Amino acid sequence: MLAYWYNAPRHIKLIFIIAVCAAIYVANQVQPLSPTYTVLSLALGFGLHFGQYLQTKISDRGSSKSKLQFLLRIYPLIIVGIVMWMLPPQHNWIVTIQALGFVLVVFFLVSIYQNRAKRFE
């Protein structure tokens, strides 16, 4: 699924970003997410992109490539587990939506920024 994101057309990316931001906004109206969890979510989202970036930079012949691919396949599940475990139990699904939304927003923005066309050489 993450590989599709890097090859998706611009309008699909824009639709996903708007939908995630709208979900975060609606969930925030019920129960705001604390800044500590927001920063943790932002770091996890950056880690998601950084893992994909490392996968493209490691040579195909090494055994570390297969280990990294396995880790990158389970990393989104690890993120969900970390978020579910660390968040407070009050309104758990609302704050989970916000935390996972912030993970996705950072992933979207960092991946789009990295692959943007350079204006100046």
Side-chain angles (χ1 to χ4, degrees):
M1 181 65 184
L2 295 179
Y4 173 73
W5 176 257
Y6 287 96
N7 297 322
R10 287 176 146 181
H11 65 281
I12 299 293
K13 290 179 180 183
L14 180 63
I15 290 169
F16 272 105
I17 290 172
I18 291 172
V20 169
C21 289
I24 291 171
Y25 178 75
V26 169
N28 188 40
Q29 298 302 314
V30 176
Q31 174 72 35
L33 185 65
S34 73
T36 306
Y37 296 122
T38 303
V39 171
L40 175 68
S41 299
L42 298 176
L44 290 172
F46 182 75
L48 189 61
H49 170 71
F50 187 69
Q52 294 293 324
Y53 175 76
L54 283 179
Q55 185 178 10
T56 61
K57 295 299 178 186
I58 294 178
S59 67
D60 291 334
R61 293 186 212 112
S63 65
S64 61
K65 177 85 171 191
S66 64
K67 292 176 186 174
L68 181 66
Q69 285 178 340
F70 174 73
L71 180 63
L72 290 177
R73 287 191 179 146
I74 63 168
Y75 185 66
L77 299 174
I78 293 171
I79 289 175
V80 172
I82 289 171
V83 167
M84 293 290 288
W85 177 68
M86 292 191 73
L87 290 175
Q90 182 183 12
H91 297 290
N92 193 16
W93 65 277
I94 295 292
V95 290
T96 301
I97 288 172
Q98 291 178 64
L100 293 177
F102 282 121
V103 168
L104 290 175
V105 165
V106 169
F107 172 71
F108 294 161
L109 293 177
V110 172
S111 65
I112 289 170
Y113 179 77
Q114 183 205 10
N115 294 327
R116 69 178 173 80
K118 306 293 185 224
R119 290 188 183 189
F120 304 105
E121 296 288 333

